[in-house]
Amino acid sequence: MSWPKRRLIVLGVGLLSVFLGGAVVAQEQRQIPTQLIRTVTVTGRGVESIPATIAQVSLGVEAQGKTAQEVQQEVARRSSAVVELLRSRNVEKLQTTGIRLNPNYSYENNVQRLIGYIAVNTVSFRIDTQRVGNLLDEAVKAGATRIDGISFVAADSAIAKAQEQALQEATLDAQRQAGAVLATLNLKPQEVVNIQVNGAAAPPPPPIPLAAAPRTDKVENRFSIPVIGGEQQVEASVTLQIRY
């Protein structure tokens, strides 16, 4: 074999050795396990109860008549009187929530016959819980014929403060849970590596349905009794991921 060919073979074997050596080193590096970060994940919960001092009221006027124009005029007249009363009592967030005009049918011997129209106008507003009983009585006397319901909520400022407190309670609760688990396993908590705030909500209680007020010449003082709003709960949850 000539010298150039022998030299090429030697060089080829050398390059192959270098390549295989590099592959072995890379494989060894891949086989070295990286140190895993050990963490525990816990979710804490916080609940704050605050007094519901505001009543959210929904009421309206309903009228029936033979013609659409007749019932619309009657509803407009009564609604204007009710709205004027509410404004004079300085209620908050007064707004119209519904206007309806529907045909009224009678059914006799499977025969449908138009006998008139029904019109409804509803409004909603907010007022202090202590004042709502007397105001509902006044609204009925002014022309309201529907009291669809009342729900009780806390003031916005009270809700905001309660949300902060509920978040603090949820965070402390999560830390206590993590501490209890790790202490049982003879482990020590280190730093918090992740924080997730799941929210601090104050869902309003469902409205309390009330019977529609009868439209009569003599209106009884049905709502002049004290109305108790109760409490509203503000809930929060926080998830912590803690290294140990």
Side-chain angles (χ1 to χ4, degrees):
M1 182 181 297
S2 63
W3 167 249
K5 290 184 179 180
R6 293 177 59 188
R7 184 178 180 183
L8 289 175
I9 293 174
V10 172
L11 289 175
V13 173
L15 291 174
L16 179 61
S17 299
V18 172
F19 175 76
L20 292 177
V24 171
V25 172
Q27 184 177 4
E28 289 178 353
Q29 290 178 348
R30 287 195 300 268
Q31 291 176 351
I32 298 176
T34 58
Q35 185 177 3
L36 299 178
I37 299 178
R38 302 185 304 175
T39 61
V40 59
T41 302
V42 290
T43 298
R45 182 172 177 265
V47 180
E48 279 289 309
S49 296
I50 51 179
T53 58
I54 299 175
Q56 176 80 35
V57 183
S58 176
L59 59 79
V61 173
E62 178 176 338
Q64 300 183 22
K66 293 183 178 180
T67 66
Q69 183 178 6
E70 176 186 348
V71 295
Q72 284 181 316
Q73 290 177 348
E74 179 64 14
V75 165
R77 183 183 65 82
R78 295 183 189 177
S79 298
S80 297
V82 172
V83 170
E84 182 179 355
L85 169 70
L86 297 177
R87 286 176 175 169
S88 68
R89 299 300 185 265
N90 296 321
V91 300
E92 299 179 355
K93 298 185 178 181
L94 176 62
Q95 63 178 355
T96 299
T97 54
I99 299 176
R100 300 199 308 272
L101 176 64
N102 300 320
N104 187 19
Y105 296 99
S106 68
Y107 297 89
E108 296 180 1
N109 299 323
N110 295 326
V111 177
Q112 176 179 292
R113 184 169 63 90
L114 177 66
I115 60 175
Y117 293 87
I118 301 175
V120 179
N121 184 13
T122 56
V123 297
S124 66
F125 61 91
R126 285 188 172 192
I127 189 173
D128 294 341
T129 303
Q130 296 178 352
R131 299 171 52 202
V132 67
N134 290 333
L135 182 59
L136 288 177
D137 177 51
E138 293 178 333
V140 171
K141 292 178 180 179
T145 58
R146 296 172 58 96
I147 300 177
D148 295 332
I150 304 176
S151 61
F152 300 98
V153 296
D156 293 340
S157 57
I159 292 177
K161 184 177 180 180
Q163 287 175 333
E164 294 180 0
Q165 294 175 343
L167 285 171
Q168 293 175 358
E169 292 177 6
T171 303
L172 293 175
D173 182 42
Q175 289 179 319
R176 284 193 294 267
Q177 292 183 52
V181 172
L182 295 176
T184 303
L185 300 174
N186 294 322
L187 300 171
K188 293 183 178 181
Q190 303 297 326
E191 74 274 8
V192 177
V193 297
N194 188 34
I195 302 173
Q196 179 179 344
V197 178
N198 302 322
I208 301 173
L210 298 176
R215 182 61 182 175
T216 61
D217 295 334
K218 182 180 178 180
V219 180
E220 297 180 358
N221 191 7
R222 300 172 63 233
F223 301 103
S224 58
I225 60 176
V227 177
I228 301 174
E231 293 184 339
Q232 183 177 7
Q233 286 190 339
V234 178
E235 301 179 358
S237 63
V238 174
T239 300
L240 300 180
Q241 189 176 12
I242 302 175
R243 188 173 67 86
Y244 61 89

